[in-house]
Amino acid sequence: MSSGPSYTSMNGHHIPNGSASYRVPTPSGTIAPHPDFRQAYHTNGYSQNIYQEHDQKIVNHLYENGFKQGEYADILLHVHQNVYRLHALILSRSPFLVHLMSTSPQVNGLKTIDVQLDREPEITLEGFYIALGYLYSSHSLHAIQPHNARAVLAAGCLLGGMEELCEYAYETCKRSISVDTINSWLEFIDKLPATSSGTETPDVSPISVFGFYAQRIRDDIFHFLVVTLPEILELHSTPNNGTPSSPEPTGREVLLQVFSRVPFEMFKAAVESPNFQIDVKGSDQARFKFAKEAIEARKRGIARGSGCEETVVLAFGGGNSGGSAVHITRKMRKRPLWKVNS
């Protein structure tokens, strides 16, 4: 005796197992087998995009009415002075918010969660709002701009579960690195923990809210300083007759101003890098001369009052193709000894 068909329960509906035996109505009134009903729409004169349009309507409804208007909310989310009426099912996309929801009390039918951002100064209210909105819809991507991209990236990394948002915000950050913005980016990386070794681009502490994006941004800034900035300033260009030309004074001055603010470990790695070419030959002598000028500028800038002394040496036979190498060192200044007369 054969057994009857088995059924799967989905949200209150009993659907027979075996897609061939389950048929759904199409807009034309015909019957199409499941799960190929999308293809049936196409063959019956209906566009395959009909389900995409339907899904988009749902997403738009969630974003406009659920996120922006807070209708039918079951969660109150507090962050600084702001309160958002949100939905647990949508917030469950974020591992961070799932934890908060599971450990927060429920009052008058609404669960209240409090997000503390005091220890995350990189996360602004604007960045947090954009990341929250992304839980509802990709529409939030349109709000990411160079001025808020870093804050969005920080918020996305904190909330978790939104790799696409983080990647989009990171790429916006990367494209925003320029001569005009490099100083603010240098201030940013100066806040990140660095290793004591200057032979490579410094590592970033894993406790950073940015995770591995912090190191990627630091690498991008390093590449900008070593390769892109000298090219922008045309420091190793040649005239049409083929004879080397001196760098434009303004270009060199800009480079010195920038490097007077670079944190030491990155300054050391950049100047010692053979890829840092500030003349047409890319010589060690040119980097050595530039390093001496930069160190003098740094005494009036980032190195001022640090209690450390930076020096540069040109070591012949250093092992590179030019037969010499530039080395940057830093040591604590010796305290003066005072003679006490008896």
Side-chain angles (χ1 to χ4, degrees):
M1 181 177 178
S2 61
S3 61
S6 60
Y7 291 82
T8 299
S9 179
M10 297 180 62
N11 204 23
H13 299 281
H14 297 284
I15 300 175
N17 288 329
S19 58
S21 61
Y22 180 55
R23 306 169 75 84
V24 297
T26 67
S28 63
T30 61
I31 299 297
H34 177 77
D36 297 326
F37 64 94
R38 294 172 181 171
Q39 181 63 30
Y41 286 173
H42 178 71
T43 57
N44 286 326
Y46 289 86
S47 170
Q48 282 185 305
N49 292 331
I50 189 171
Y51 69 93
Q52 295 176 339
E53 295 172 358
H54 175 69
D55 292 349
Q56 190 59 51
K57 290 179 181 178
I58 295 176
V59 171
N60 290 342
H61 178 79
L62 288 173
Y63 186 78
E64 294 295 330
N65 298 87
F67 177 64
K68 296 178 71 174
Q69 303 298 327
E71 295 181 359
Y72 305 104
D74 54 1
I75 293 286
L76 290 180
L77 186 149
H78 294 254
V79 54
H80 291 323
Q81 71 272 23
N82 291 4
V83 180
Y84 301 100
R85 296 175 57 85
L86 302 171
H87 308 81
L89 181 62
I90 304 298
L91 300 190
S92 65
R93 297 182 60 199
S94 162
F96 177 81
L97 295 178
V98 165
H99 172 72
L100 289 183
M101 289 188 293
S102 65
T103 57
S104 300
Q106 185 166 332
V107 181
N108 297 327
L110 290 176
K111 179 164 288 192
T112 301
I113 61 178
D114 191 7
V115 179
Q116 299 291 337
L117 297 181
D118 296 337
R119 296 184 179 180
E120 304 295 348
E122 287 293 329
I123 302 179
T124 64
L125 286 175
E126 180 185 17
F128 190 78
Y129 178 81
I130 293 172
L132 272 182
Y134 186 75
L135 293 173
Y136 286 77
S137 168
S138 62
H139 183 78
S140 281
L141 295 177
H142 299 294
I144 300 177
Q145 302 295 328
H147 76 275
N148 61 30
R150 196 164 77 210
V152 174
L153 176 58
C157 290
L158 176 71
L159 295 178
M162 47 184 71
E163 288 76 11
E164 297 84 0
L165 174 87
C166 290
E167 194 65 27
Y168 190 96
Y170 159 73
E171 289 295 337
T172 304
C173 289
K174 181 178 179 179
R175 291 192 300 269
S176 74
I177 302 173
S178 67
V179 177
D180 295 329
T181 64
I182 186 61
N183 286 338
S184 66
W185 283 110
L186 291 175
E187 292 175 2
F188 165 68
I189 64 170
D190 195 32
K191 300 174 185 176
L192 299 175
T195 63
S196 59
S197 172
T199 57
E200 298 177 353
T201 307
D203 292 331
V204 173
S205 170
I207 64 174
S208 168
V209 68
F210 292 94
F212 66 89
Y213 285 107
Q215 185 61 46
R216 290 176 67 180
I217 293 175
R218 193 157 196 160
D219 290 341
D220 293 331
I221 295 172
F222 182 81
H223 184 270
F224 178 84
L225 293 173
V226 172
V227 178
T228 308
L229 186 57
E231 291 178 351
I232 292 175
L233 300 176
E234 299 180 344
L235 295 181
H236 42 71
S237 61
T238 57
N240 294 331
N241 59 12
T243 59
S245 64
S246 298
E248 294 184 10
T250 54
R252 190 177 183 86
E253 288 173 1
V254 170
L255 194 66
L256 283 170
Q257 290 173 4
V258 171
F259 272 75
S260 70
R261 297 177 174 90
V262 177
F264 175 76
E265 296 297 342
M266 184 170 284
F267 170 70
K268 173 180 171 66
V271 175
E272 291 182 353
S273 172
N275 295 324
F276 184 54
Q277 301 182 6
I278 56 174
D279 67 351
V280 66
K281 296 181 180 179
S283 64
D284 292 332
Q285 289 79 5
R287 286 189 289 121
F288 173 71
K289 182 179 179 180
F290 174 81
K292 290 182 65 176
E293 296 178 34
I295 288 174
E296 286 300 315
R298 291 169 64 82
K299 290 179 181 178
R300 302 184 297 271
I302 194 172
R304 183 179 181 181
S306 65
C308 297
E309 183 179 2
E310 299 175 1
T311 57
V312 57
V313 296
L314 184 62
F316 291 92
N320 59 26
S321 59
S324 62
V326 177
H327 295 285
I328 306 290
T329 60
R330 181 174 64 173
K331 61 181 180 180
M332 296 295 296
R333 294 191 183 96
K334 293 182 179 180
R335 294 182 177 179
L337 297 179
W338 296 92
K339 182 179 179 180
V340 179
N341 295 325
S342 57

